[in-house]
């Protein structure tokens, strides 16, 4: 390996995975890997935050392996990168040279336009985000005192956070703009079932609802919707999705669309610069999932370490997986294909038990699917999706949890 | 006729059996008849009289007609093997080894042993290599067997003994996780312990990509994609942490390294593990509830989990699970390895292994070298260092970097080594090959000299079963004329190579020397003798002096590490060496069938066993069969990057649709090891037998013809 100093901007899941994989592939001392993390915490498993909120995990116990020898600089914001001189600048004005730069800046929560909410920092009190461990600690603390919580956003994060808040004993309402929950992943029928699961957990859902105003001066008191409905609450969680953090890359003149544009080698548009994880746009796709982020980290580590110079990331077939207490969900592909010509839909539904499986096929291949409730068949279906496996002429066995294993 | 108490020649259970010599008529025993009958030996605790079909029929191979009864040498005129006298065979061997050493150096001579050899033979063979040949090039087929478990044992617990408790403890535990183990078919008499455990309310979890006969009896069967057990174990550890099942007092008092294991487990959360292994989160949770919820529990692995390029890390991840829940070093709990070969345990303790001296002493530790050198009466500096592992030894054979002459004792690598066609080619390339065996195995067929060896019922010697129990096989009948024991072979050969002392062929004399060599070592046999073994139904090592009762249960007070603590490991999941791709889209996994044993050299010659399992086959799922247009019995061609094998289809829903299975007991077109991948575990040097990428298709008509 002819690259010694590897600077990683970000210390999230992709960064930790990359460092650990790179060091596992190089001899001791061959690479100096430095992670620059803006957060005060060492890398941790962000996928577990909802269950940190419920208290299932100790916040100090979800730390991830970094690889022995990695230099970790937490609470250190990188303010500029200069690909031409291969150096980066930190918030305190110091600069650091690198041989290879990896942008793993992740994604930032989207803050919706609401009256009563200043741009940038959530204000007034009682308004929260759930992206970082610090967010999670603050939210857990607030939830202990809250009498009622409103979650704005009924996507995967909103649903899992709402479940966690409800599990803490806080009556919780989801306010969602879409016609059904998690509409990026679910078809309407599955979403309807999911809503039933949430209702059983004590979570009310408002669909097609547009929040417009936060009421309360020092502390939030109510959320007003466009139709005039006023939801009294002393805790609001904004779960309106995330957006890749690309400011640094943009300022450095790197090519950015939705994310930092990278090729199959995870290389950005300037020599020596790479991007992985939620901030990267690969083959037109920006994922917000660990699976693709870690696959990218692994491929880049294989490539940069020199152990597999030909390593490429050729794309991902990601699967969204949600375990929110008793509500189990797996979703993959584009469910809108269900209505497209040339596609077959297989559906199994048990409304009493609240389980359903919907699979969209084109020919003998899976195109999309949603599994809800009893997920005994998920393992095999997930693998068939990830591997793009041909299915037998009669794939109906996939609908029967036991049949899928037979 | 007086019966003799002894043990079965096959697997590591080493079932007790009684042999009653048949009365001989005036013409002696007919060539096709065995000279003894098997009877029950109910007093031996491990099997309490029960035997499987292999044990029951074992005497058949004692019949003269089925075995070698004279040395064979390759005729210089026509190149065939012809019968010869022992003197001629031994002279040829000594000459072959001497020449190789003279022309290419001492290291050009190698030895390849077996896990079926008695402790005495394994010890003598290791000593022969280091003292007479003075070569580092000795290893054995146990490298292909339990080396990953052995390496993990040593790293985690400081000592390698397959089970840290007697088999009977299994019946008392609250939950057993059996990983890549199929005792219902590979060691049927052991199944009683699992059945009793379940009858007493214990739960059985089986981890296997196939629904084996063992899996059918499980309370929960987890069916991971081959090569993903490491992720599965870490996923279970993750849930142990998340769901509050950690035994924090045990971790604090008796272990080190938890923090690293915890961080690794955090990178293996259940939803991710589901996507790697195909095991649904709900089943992972159920497994953790069963295991962590039981008051006592065990994890037992076998080759299915160990024969991987990450076998050592996989075993250590299972050990992590035991340590995190406090299920180790306590009565009724622990991690264990179900050793495979008859003396797989003892065979690895006493000097056949490339890096070890008797008593588990190290070839790199000056004090260990000095101790063993003193027992052997040689200069410690004259002992060679560690040599290459089994596959590496064979891979380089006959090349400028490798050995030129080889002695194989009790092993059949032509059938049992990975990438077997290549290994066969390397064996053919040797200047000289000698094989000592009971039958003319496929490896023996390639030899320049073949020595007919005495069998289990014809010679006395100890083995150490999977429990670490040292037991005594006793000769019931003399070997037929023309057959000698391996100890005699080594004695005679050593003498021809200039060493006339130190190679007795009385097994008791060898054992007494072994006791001295092992004294003070990890596997200490000093206090064990034949009389004690007879009187006590075996003695568990370590047993440092005659007054010591032996050690049926290890680690109850401390682990065998320098600080007495067990060590957590932190390795995460990594893919197998060869993942499926469009050209080779399926997983191949290999294993055994009930009626055959290892390379089949013995069992394929026994009519009853052969009738039950006449040949190789390819097990595949009905969905895969449909996709390939294959019917039951159609001949399939299975192709990997190493080669191609042909065998009939056996269609069953008991296997994953992404995986095919082949048993590995046969040579010829259906040889499973033609396909297997010699990618080695970096720590144990275990080849990745249990998973490689293959393509399966219906064999062309021409190929299907014999």
């Amino acid at each position: 390996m002819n690259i010694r100093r590897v600077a990683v901007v970000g210390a999230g899941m992709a960064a930790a995975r990359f460092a650990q994989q790179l060091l596992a592939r190089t001899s001791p001392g061959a690479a100096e890997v430095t992670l620059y993390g803006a957060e005060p915490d060492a890398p941790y498993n962000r996928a577990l935050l909802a269950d940190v909120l419920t208290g299932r995990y100790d916040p100090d116990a979800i730390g991830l392996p970094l690889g022995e020898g990695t230099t970790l600089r937490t609470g250190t914001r990188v303010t500029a990168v200069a690909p031409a001189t291969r150096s980066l600048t930190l918030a305190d004005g110091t600069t650091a040279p690198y041989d290879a730069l990896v942008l793993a800046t992740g994604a930032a929560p989207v803050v919706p336009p609401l009256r009563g909410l200043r741009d940038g920092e959530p204000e007034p009190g009682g308004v929260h985000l759930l992206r970082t461990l610090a967010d999670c600690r603050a939210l857990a603390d607030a939830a202990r005192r809250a009498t009622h919580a409103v979650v704005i956003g009924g996507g995967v994060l909103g649903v899992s956070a709402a479940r966690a808040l409800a599990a803490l004993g806080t009556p919780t309402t989801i306010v969602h703009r879409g016609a059904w929950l998690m509409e990026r992943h679910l078809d309407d029928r599955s979403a309807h079932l999911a809503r039933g699961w949430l209702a059983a957990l004590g979570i009310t859902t408002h669909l097609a609802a547009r929040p417009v105003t936060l009421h309360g001066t020092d502390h939030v008191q109510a959320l007003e919707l466009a139709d005039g409905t006023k939801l009294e609450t002393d805790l609001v969680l904004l779960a309106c999705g995330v957006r890749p953090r690309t400011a640094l890359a943009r300022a450095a003149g790197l090519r950015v669309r939705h994310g930092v544009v990278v090729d199959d080698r995870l290389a950005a548009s300037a020599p020596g610069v790479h991007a992985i994880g939620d901030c990267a746009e690969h083959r037109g796709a920006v994922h917000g999932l660990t699976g693709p982020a870690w696959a990218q980290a692994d491929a880049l580590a294989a490539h940069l370490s020199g152990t597999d110079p030909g390593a490429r990331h050729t794309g991902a077939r990601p699967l969204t997986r949600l375990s929110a207490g008793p509500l189990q969900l797996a979703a993959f592909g584009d469910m809108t294909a269900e209505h497209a010509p040339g596609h077959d839909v297989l559906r199994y539904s048990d409304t009493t038990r609240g389980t359903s499986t919907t699979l969209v096929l084109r020919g003998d291949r899976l195109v999309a699917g949603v599994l809800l409730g009893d997920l005994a068949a998920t393992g095999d279906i997930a693998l068939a999706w990830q591997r793009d496996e041909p299915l037998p002429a009669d794939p109906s066995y996939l609908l029967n949890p036991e049949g899928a294993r037979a | 006729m007086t019966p003799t108490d002894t043990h079965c020649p096959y697997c590591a259970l080493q079932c007790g059996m009684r042999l009653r010599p048949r009365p001989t008529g005036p013409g002696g025993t007919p060539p096709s008849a065995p000279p003894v009958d098997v009877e029950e030996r109910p007093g031996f605790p491990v099997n309490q009289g029960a035997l499987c079909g292999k044990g029951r029929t074992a005497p058949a191979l004692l019949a003269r007609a089925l075995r070698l009864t004279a040395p064979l040498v390759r005729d210089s005129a026509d190149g065939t093997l012809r019968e010869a006298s022992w003197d001629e065979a031994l002279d040829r061997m000594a000459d072959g080894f001497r020449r190789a050493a003279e022309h290419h150096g001492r290291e050009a001579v190698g030895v390849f042993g077996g896990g079926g050899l008695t402790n005495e033979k394994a010890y003598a063979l290791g000593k022969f290599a280091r003292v007479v040949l003075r070569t580092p090039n000795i290893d054995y087929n146990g490298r292909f067997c339990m080396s990953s478990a052995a390496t993990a044992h040593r790293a985690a617990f400081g000592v390698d003994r397959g089970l840290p408790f007697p088999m009977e403890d299994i019946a008392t535990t609250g939950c057993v996780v059996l990983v890549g183990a199929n005792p219902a078919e590979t060691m049927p008499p052991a199944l009683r312990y699992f059945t009793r455990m379940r009858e007493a309310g214990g739960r059985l979890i089986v981890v296997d990509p196939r629904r084996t006969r063992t899996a059918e009896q499980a309370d929960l069967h987890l069916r991971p994609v081959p090569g993903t057990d490491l992720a599965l174990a870490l996923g279970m550890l993750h849930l142990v942490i998340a769901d509050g099942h950690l035994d924090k007092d045990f971790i604090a008092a008796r272990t080190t390294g938890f923090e690293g294991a915890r961080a690794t487990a955090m990178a293996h959360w259940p939803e991710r593990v589901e996507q790697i292994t195909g095991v649904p989160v709900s089943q992972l949770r159920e497994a953790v509830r069963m295991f962590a919820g039981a008051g006592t529990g065990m994890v037992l692995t076998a080759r299915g989990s160990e024969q991987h390029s990450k076998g050592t890390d996989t075993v250590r991840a299972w050990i992590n699970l035991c340590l995190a829940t406090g299920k180790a070093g306590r009565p009724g709990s622990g991690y264990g390895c179900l050793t495979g070969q008859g003396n797989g345990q003892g065979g690895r303790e006493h000097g056949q292994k490339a890096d070890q001296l008797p008593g588990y002493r190290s070839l790199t530790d000056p004090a260990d070298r000095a101790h063993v050198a003193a027992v052997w009466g040689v200069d410690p500096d004259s002992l060679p260092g560690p040599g290459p592992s089994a596959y590496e030894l064979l891979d380089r054979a006959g090349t400028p970097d490798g050995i030129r002459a080889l002695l194989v004792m009790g092993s059949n690598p032509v059938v049992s080594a990975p990438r077997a066609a290549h290994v066969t080619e390397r064996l053919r390339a040797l200047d000289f090959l000698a094989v000592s065996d009971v039958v003319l195995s496929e490896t023996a067929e390639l030899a320049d000299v073949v020595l007919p060896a005495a069998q289990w019922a014809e010679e006395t010697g100890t083995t150490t079963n999977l429990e670490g129990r040292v037991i005594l096989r006793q000769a019931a009948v003399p070997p037929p004329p023309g057959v000698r024991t391996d100890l005699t072979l080594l004695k005679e050969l050593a003498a021809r190579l200039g060493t006339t002392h130190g190679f007795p062929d009385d097994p008791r004399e060898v054992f007494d020397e072994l006791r001295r060599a092992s004294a003070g070592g990890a596997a200490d046999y000093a206090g064990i003798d034949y009389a004690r073994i007879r009187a006590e139904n075996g003695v568990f090592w370590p047993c440092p002096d005659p007054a010591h009762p032996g050690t049926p249960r290890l680690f109850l007070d401390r682990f065998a590490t320098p600080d007495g603590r067990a060590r957590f490991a932190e390795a995460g999941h990594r893919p197998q060496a060869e993942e499926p791709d469009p050209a080779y889209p399926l997983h191949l996994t290999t294993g055994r069938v009930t009626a055959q044993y290892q390379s089949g050299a013995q069992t394929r010659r026994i009519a009853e066993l052969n009738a039950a399992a006449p040949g190789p086959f390819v097990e595949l799922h009905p969905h895969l069969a449909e996709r390939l247009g294959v019917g039951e019995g159609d001949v399939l061609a299975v192709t990997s990057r190493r080669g191609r094998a042909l065998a009939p289809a056996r269609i069953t829903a008991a296997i994953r649709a992404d995986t095919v299975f082949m048993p590995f007991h046969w040579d010829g077109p259906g040889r499973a090891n033609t396909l297997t991948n010699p990618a080695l575990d970096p720590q144990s040097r275990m080849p990745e037998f249990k998973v490689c990428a293959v393509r399966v298709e219906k064999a062309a008509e021409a190929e299907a013809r014999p």
Side-chain angles (χ1 to χ4, degrees):
Chain A
M1 149 159 187
N2 46 20
I3 289 164
R4 266 186 69 75
R5 295 163 304 182
V6 182
V8 184
V9 186
M13 294 184 75
R17 175 76 178 189
F18 168 76
Q20 188 263 331
Q21 289 286 310
L22 184 73
L23 289 165
R25 285 172 171 272
T26 49
S27 49
E32 290 170 15
V33 183
T34 307
L35 264 51
Y36 298 93
E39 290 184 47
D41 292 290
Y44 54 86
N45 189 335
R46 213 180 290 283
L48 306 176
L49 282 184
D51 270 326
V52 173
L53 189 56
T54 63
R56 183 163 179 244
Y57 296 91
D58 183 335
D60 300 324
I62 59 165
L64 289 170
L66 272 187
E68 206 165 325
T70 296
T71 303
L72 173 65
R73 299 191 58 180
T74 54
T76 305
R77 197 176 291 277
V78 176
T79 54
V81 297
T85 56
R86 299 209 179 197
S87 73
L88 49 80
T89 308
L90 306 177
D92 65 4
T94 55
T95 59
Y98 65 77
D99 298 314
L101 179 72
V102 179
L103 296 175
T105 47
V110 172
V111 176
L114 285 178
R115 277 196 293 274
L117 195 63
R118 280 213 304 262
D119 195 28
E121 294 306 301
E123 197 70 33
V127 180
H128 291 263
L129 297 168
L130 181 53
R131 179 68 186 171
T132 67
L133 196 49
D135 293 341
C136 189
R137 288 191 180 101
L139 181 59
D141 190 45
R144 264 194 292 279
R145 292 191 305 268
T147 57
H148 191 224
V150 170
V151 177
I152 301 179
V156 172
L157 174 68
V159 167
S160 75
R163 180 263 156 183
L165 290 167
L168 288 172
T170 313
T172 301
T173 302
I174 295 175
V175 173
H176 186 55
R177 295 181 68 130
W180 62 81
L181 289 170
M182 299 176 277
E183 74 275 10
R184 274 183 56 216
H185 301 289
L186 268 54
D187 60 305
D188 52 350
R189 295 186 210 208
S190 306
H192 184 73
L193 270 183
R195 193 181 178 191
W197 277 95
L198 294 175
L201 295 171
I203 298 165
T204 314
T205 308
H206 291 266
L207 295 174
R210 196 160 62 83
V212 287
T213 308
L214 282 175
H215 294 283
T217 45
D218 288 342
H219 199 96
V220 64
Q221 289 171 339
L223 173 71
E224 188 180 330
L225 307 180
D227 65 2
T229 310
K230 242 175 156 178
L231 302 168
E232 300 216 344
T233 180
D234 47 0
L235 193 163
V236 170
L237 175 66
L238 305 177
C240 306
V242 295
R243 189 176 289 135
R245 283 201 185 90
T246 55
L248 212 52
R250 248 181 236 285
L254 296 168
R255 193 159 160 237
V256 175
R257 278 195 301 253
H258 294 297
V260 182
V261 176
V262 293
D263 62 15
D264 285 2
R265 295 179 146 199
L266 292 318
S269 61
V273 184
H274 311 264
I276 55 172
D278 295 359
C279 73
E281 179 177 329
H282 173 257
R283 295 193 181 184
V286 177
H287 300 289
L289 295 167
T290 317
W294 281 17
Q296 291 170 1
D298 291 2
L300 184 59
H303 167 58
L304 285 185
S305 67
T307 49
D308 184 3
R312 296 280 192 283
H313 177 70
T314 54
R317 293 169 70 85
L319 180 125
T320 299
R321 193 68 175 75
L322 173 65
S323 291
L327 172 59
Q328 294 277 317
L329 182 147
F332 56 89
D334 177 8
M335 281 304 288
T336 60
E338 139 180 59
H339 306 294
H343 290 67
D344 300 314
V345 180
L346 294 180
R347 201 188 306 275
Y348 167 87
S349 167
D350 177 342
T351 48
T352 309
R353 290 166 64 224
T355 68
S356 79
T357 301
T358 308
L359 301 175
V360 182
L361 285 79
R362 187 182 176 93
D364 63 356
R365 305 298 163 114
L366 283 171
V367 169
V370 177
L371 290 82
L372 197 77
D374 181 354
L375 295 194
T378 329
D380 289 343
I381 293 175
L383 289 174
W385 157 251
Q386 282 166 24
R387 299 165 173 166
D388 197 16
E389 263 173 18
L391 301 174
D394 176 9
S396 59
Y397 72 98
L398 287 171
L399 298 178
N400 174 349
E402 287 312 305
R405 290 176 46 73
Chain B
M1 302 288 279
T2 320
T4 302
D5 282 348
T6 191
H7 296 270
C8 176
Y10 293 110
C11 82
L13 210 52
Q14 289 292 286
C15 289
M17 57 167 60
R18 184 163 289 164
L19 297 181
R20 186 178 295 276
R22 288 183 176 180
T24 43
T29 312
S32 61
V36 297
D37 287 309
V38 171
E39 295 179 356
E40 277 191 16
R41 182 184 162 193
F44 185 69
V46 176
N47 61 312
Q48 294 156 328
L51 291 171
C52 74
K54 293 194 287 282
R56 227 175 356 87
T57 58
L61 208 59
L62 295 169
R64 295 198 304 280
L66 294 187
R67 65 189 293 190
L68 294 166
T69 51
L72 306 173
V73 299
R74 196 158 296 278
D75 192 275
S76 51
D78 64 4
T80 60
L81 286 170
R82 61 161 170 81
E83 288 198 359
S85 70
W86 271 89
D87 275 340
E88 184 185 358
L90 287 163
D91 287 345
R92 286 271 288 261
M93 276 176 86
D95 193 45
F97 293 154
R98 206 181 291 116
R99 267 192 220 208
E102 275 166 14
H103 290 125
H104 305 283
R106 283 200 304 269
E107 302 195 350
V109 183
V111 174
F112 197 90
L117 303 179
T118 60
N119 291 321
E120 289 79 357
K121 292 186 191 183
Y123 171 84
L125 188 63
K127 181 180 178 183
F128 176 81
R130 275 127 190 173
V131 171
V132 178
L133 300 176
R134 294 183 59 196
T135 177
N137 288 308
I138 171 168
D139 212 40
Y140 76 126
N141 64 17
R143 183 72 64 178
F144 299 158
C145 185
M146 32 29 64
S147 58
S148 289
T151 306
H153 259 120
R154 288 160 65 85
F157 300 128
V159 70
D160 157 35
R161 198 179 92 182
L163 295 180
F165 40 69
M167 288 294 284
E168 64 193 51
D169 284 12
I170 292 171
T172 69
T173 193
C175 181
V176 174
V177 187
L178 262 181
V179 195
N182 182 14
E185 289 174 83
T186 58
M187 42 176 68
L191 205 64
R192 61 187 53 217
Y193 294 106
F194 299 97
T195 308
R196 280 186 207 152
M197 187 242 344
R198 293 193 64 224
E199 284 166 359
R203 313 294 287 275
L204 178 63
I205 301 170
V206 170
V207 178
D208 199 307
R210 302 164 65 215
R211 192 161 183 82
T212 60
R213 264 191 253 162
T214 309
E216 278 170 8
Q217 309 198 18
D219 295 285
L220 179 64
H221 173 207
L222 307 182
R223 210 190 39 152
V225 175
T228 65
D229 289 4
L230 176 53
L232 188 75
L234 287 167
M236 287 181 72
L237 178 61
H238 181 103
L239 284 171
V240 163
I241 296 168
D243 294 342
H245 295 301
L246 284 180
D247 187 336
K248 291 180 181 163
D249 293 341
F250 180 88
I251 292 169
R254 302 202 53 190
T255 71
T256 60
F258 174 69
E259 190 46 33
R262 184 207 54 72
T264 301
M266 284 304 116
H268 296 78
W269 64 105
E271 290 76 16
R272 173 170 161 77
V273 167
E274 178 183 81
Q275 292 182 38
I276 296 170
T277 62
V279 174
V281 170
S282 54
Q283 290 188 358
L284 204 62
R285 286 184 196 282
E286 181 66 15
V288 171
R289 263 197 298 274
M290 277 187 194
F291 183 70
T296 52
M298 298 172 175
V299 176
L300 304 175
T301 66
R303 307 305 84 69
S305 209
E306 300 161 10
Q307 287 177 326
H308 293 272
S309 59
K310 53 177 178 289
T312 305
D313 287 335
T314 302
V315 171
R316 292 202 66 189
W318 290 113
I319 294 174
N320 280 352
L321 187 66
C322 293
L323 297 178
T325 52
K327 290 183 166 60
R330 286 175 170 170
S333 286
Y335 162 77
C337 152
L338 295 179
T339 303
Q341 297 193 81
N343 197 28
Q345 180 68 48
R348 68 193 193 246
E349 296 166 5
H350 297 299
Q352 285 186 92
K353 218 172 176 178
D355 56 347
Q356 282 179 5
L357 290 166
Y360 271 143
R361 285 193 154 88
S362 164
L363 260 174
T364 53
D365 182 290
D368 282 357
R369 291 169 66 92
H371 175 92
V372 175
V375 173
W376 288 350
V378 299
D379 178 357
D381 291 338
S382 73
L383 295 178
S389 74
Y391 180 75
E392 295 163 291
L393 181 73
L394 297 171
D395 179 41
R396 290 178 217 156
T399 73
D401 300 330
I403 52 166
R404 313 300 299 224
L406 177 65
L407 167 61
V408 176
M409 189 173 276
S411 186
N412 190 12
V414 164
V415 178
S416 63
R419 198 185 171 199
H422 169 73
V423 166
T424 304
E425 195 182 298
R426 295 329 313 154
L427 290 172
R428 285 185 198 280
L430 287 166
D431 297 341
F432 181 79
L433 174 64
V435 175
S436 171
D437 209 323
V438 170
V439 295
L440 190 67
S441 71
E442 287 76 8
T443 305
E445 285 174 17
L446 306 180
D448 299 288
V449 175
V450 181
L451 295 313
Q455 296 183 50
W456 103 109
E458 300 160 350
E459 56 182 356
T460 295
T462 60
T463 63
T464 306
N465 80 348
L466 77 173
E467 306 167 287
R469 186 196 302 254
V470 183
I471 55 168
L472 185 63
R473 289 187 190 162
Q474 307 194 88
V477 288
V483 171
R484 295 184 186 177
T485 80
D486 288 325
L487 291 179
T488 303
L489 162 65
L490 292 175
K491 175 187 179 176
E492 298 284 336
L493 192 57
R496 278 170 171 77
L497 292 169
T499 305
T500 50
H501 293 287
F503 289 89
D505 60 357
D506 174 0
R508 185 195 300 259
E509 229 179 293
V510 178
F511 189 73
D512 284 342
E513 185 183 312
L514 181 162
R515 292 167 60 192
R516 291 197 304 279
S518 77
D524 192 332
Y525 282 38
I528 305 174
D529 62 44
Y530 285 7
R532 271 193 74 177
I533 297 175
R534 278 192 203 98
E536 300 172 27
N537 270 325
V539 180
F540 291 82
W541 69 258
C543 180
D545 62 74
H548 191 285
T551 315
R553 292 171 185 86
L554 290 171
F555 314 140
L556 295 183
D557 303 317
R558 68 191 305 279
F559 294 99
T561 51
D563 61 5
R565 290 165 175 268
R567 281 153 179 53
F568 277 98
E570 55 183 83
H573 170 75
R574 61 181 184 270
Q576 58 265 30
E578 188 178 69
E579 287 196 280
D581 59 19
Y584 301 96
L586 296 164
H587 301 285
L588 168 72
T589 190
T590 65
R592 298 204 228 157
V593 298
T594 307
Q596 300 285 358
Y597 183 69
Q598 307 299 64
S599 79
Q602 293 152 281
T603 48
R604 279 186 272 126
R605 287 172 165 82
I606 296 175
E608 182 183 328
L609 299 178
N610 243 1
F617 55 86
V618 182
E619 210 175 87
L620 77 169
H621 191 277
H623 291 153
L624 179 59
E626 176 201 306
R627 202 160 94 208
L628 300 173
V630 166
E632 178 78 14
D634 287 353
V635 175
L636 300 183
V638 182
T639 311
S640 78
R641 289 184 178 83
R642 271 73 52 197
R644 162 174 276 220
L646 300 173
R650 190 175 285 186
I651 300 173
T652 168
I655 189 165
R656 297 183 57 91
D658 57 11
T659 303
V660 296
F661 166 84
M662 289 183 76
F664 55 59
H665 307 291
W666 290 273
D667 187 38
R671 180 173 64 184
N673 277 321
T674 301
L675 307 166
T676 50
N677 189 353
L680 301 182
D681 180 306
Q683 299 171 73
S684 66
R685 317 309 284 170
M686 166 74 84
E688 191 149 82
F689 284 103
K690 277 297 180 277
V691 61
C692 68
V694 295
R695 178 173 72 242
V696 178
E697 59 219 320
K698 231 165 140 170
E701 292 302 314
E703 268 185 330
R705 260 179 243 122

